[in-house]
Amino acid sequence: MVSRSKDTLEVSEFKNGYKNGRQTIYNRRGFVEITAEYTNGLLNGKATQYSGATQNIVRIEHYTADQHNRISRLHGNSIEYSPEGVELVKYTFKNGERNGSFITRYFNKQVKEKGQFKSNLLVGKKRAWSKTGQLISKEIYIIVIEKDKNGETRSNSVRHGKAVYYFPDGSTSVELEFVNGKKEGLCKEYYSQKGHLLKSEVMFKDGLEHGEMAYYNPNGSLNRKGKYYRKIKQGDTVLINVYDGKLVRYDANGKLQSIEHWGNFKKNGTQEYYGRPSYLRQRFSLKDNLKIGKEEQFDINGTLIYSAYFEIVEKDGIQISQQTGTESKWLGGKLILTREWKNGKKNGPAKSYYANGQLEKSMNFKNDKVHGKLLAYYENGQLKLETNYMYQEKGSNSKRSGWNVEYNKEGQMLNRFYALPNDKKLIEQKFNNGSVQYLGIKDALELKYTHTNQLNSIKWTNRVWPIFGYSMFINKELRRVNFQTNGYPTMNANFTDEGEVIQVNGIEMNHKDYKNAATAAEKIAQQYNPKWVNDPLTSDLELDGKYQLEYADGTTFIEIEFIENLPHGKW
């Protein structure tokens, strides 16, 4: 066979239409590329491959021809060389499968691997080395019969027996045992750092961690120790990642972190957790992973800072842990909180304290919600808040109900309101230095005062809008009136300090209606009575009995009644 340029590409011998004898293949530069022997069109015998211009042998293979099945198979030695002539790979084939010993090398002639094949599968001892000649692994292989997911059987080569792996400096990295391709028994691993200290000792079964284990820090100190099971069957249940017995953990410096107790592959018994530098931080008990009995927490000095109690109950056929009894907290050895629990919820009295021991808050809970009177105090012992809560079955919080009072540090009232069952304020009073600053009655009356405790406005209201009322300057002269007229909604008129209307505000009006509104505002202004600022209704801290305000002409403006600060009777 020649190219278009008459260069020889292939020379082969034929007989009866088949290649028989020697075949030689050339590259386009005229160098021999392959020589091979054929019988009746099938490779049979030696085949050699050469590099380009150097004509160094890079591969030698031997074939046998199966004339019945019309196929050639590798049979005998198969050798691969580097371009420089270094033998890199040497296998022995039998009927197309690797059989017998083999050897592989690096380009520097150093042996890379040695082992044996049987029917194309690794068997017996296998060794591996680094480029520098350092042994890096020792393994033993056997052939096993396995079934795939479809139930078909096949042969496979797996590790079996002792295996050892090494670091580049020759020290041991890992040593372990295999049984039929799975880790079995004790496996030891070592750190690569100087000294090659032990990293772990772990027991295996069927390829998974199973039993005693210990892990170490690079400095040699213990990191954790116990019995660990990656997967274990208990009855009809398969458990994953569980422990048994005592499990101890340490930090990187070898300081104790935790001590756990396990039984029946669940946490059972006392559990202890430690803070830095290695002090008991928390201790409690578990039964089948559920908290039971007393829980305690400690500060760095070993002083108790928290305690609580738990019980195990059955709900809806399931065992659960829930809090019960007294929960307490301490700070620096002094009690700062106590509260009661029942049925897994806060139920009963709860108290918190300042660091000086003074009571901070006192309240009661019902099913996790505040119920009844809540009292809060300043650090000097003076009452700060007095709030009443009514338990609500629905919703996330209780609602305020009845009188609720806020005081300053001197014991003077700052704010007081009475809440209806729906948590809406029926009446609210605000105070400043013992004087009234604000009085509001829901959907009825609103009184506001200046910072000098002088009446600033008095208005009848409907929800958020004033429908009728008066506002004053600080000199007690009229400033504004709120009113309704001619079918318009609430509007207001502003006055000069001499009593003249300067503006009427509201929705847009025609000139006639605006003039009528201004006239109405002037008539309302004439009824303003400066004596209101000194009336008991506007100055009394405690409202009780009947109150009446009169217009300037002596007719009645307001007639209302209170009993113990609550609106009463006909208004």
Side-chain angles (χ1 to χ4, degrees), residues 41 48 108 177 200 294 352 398 432 476 481:
T48 307
N108 64 0
E177 295 278 341
S200 65
K294 189 176 184 180
S352 61
S398 299
N432 179 37
K476 302 181 185 181
V481 295

Side-chain angles (χ1 to χ4, degrees), residues 156-175:
N156 192 22
S157 178
V158 297
R159 287 174 290 186
H160 184 84
K162 185 175 182 179
V164 184
Y165 301 89
Y166 302 89
F167 290 114
D169 65 358
S171 60
T172 301
S173 169
V174 182
E175 52 185 346

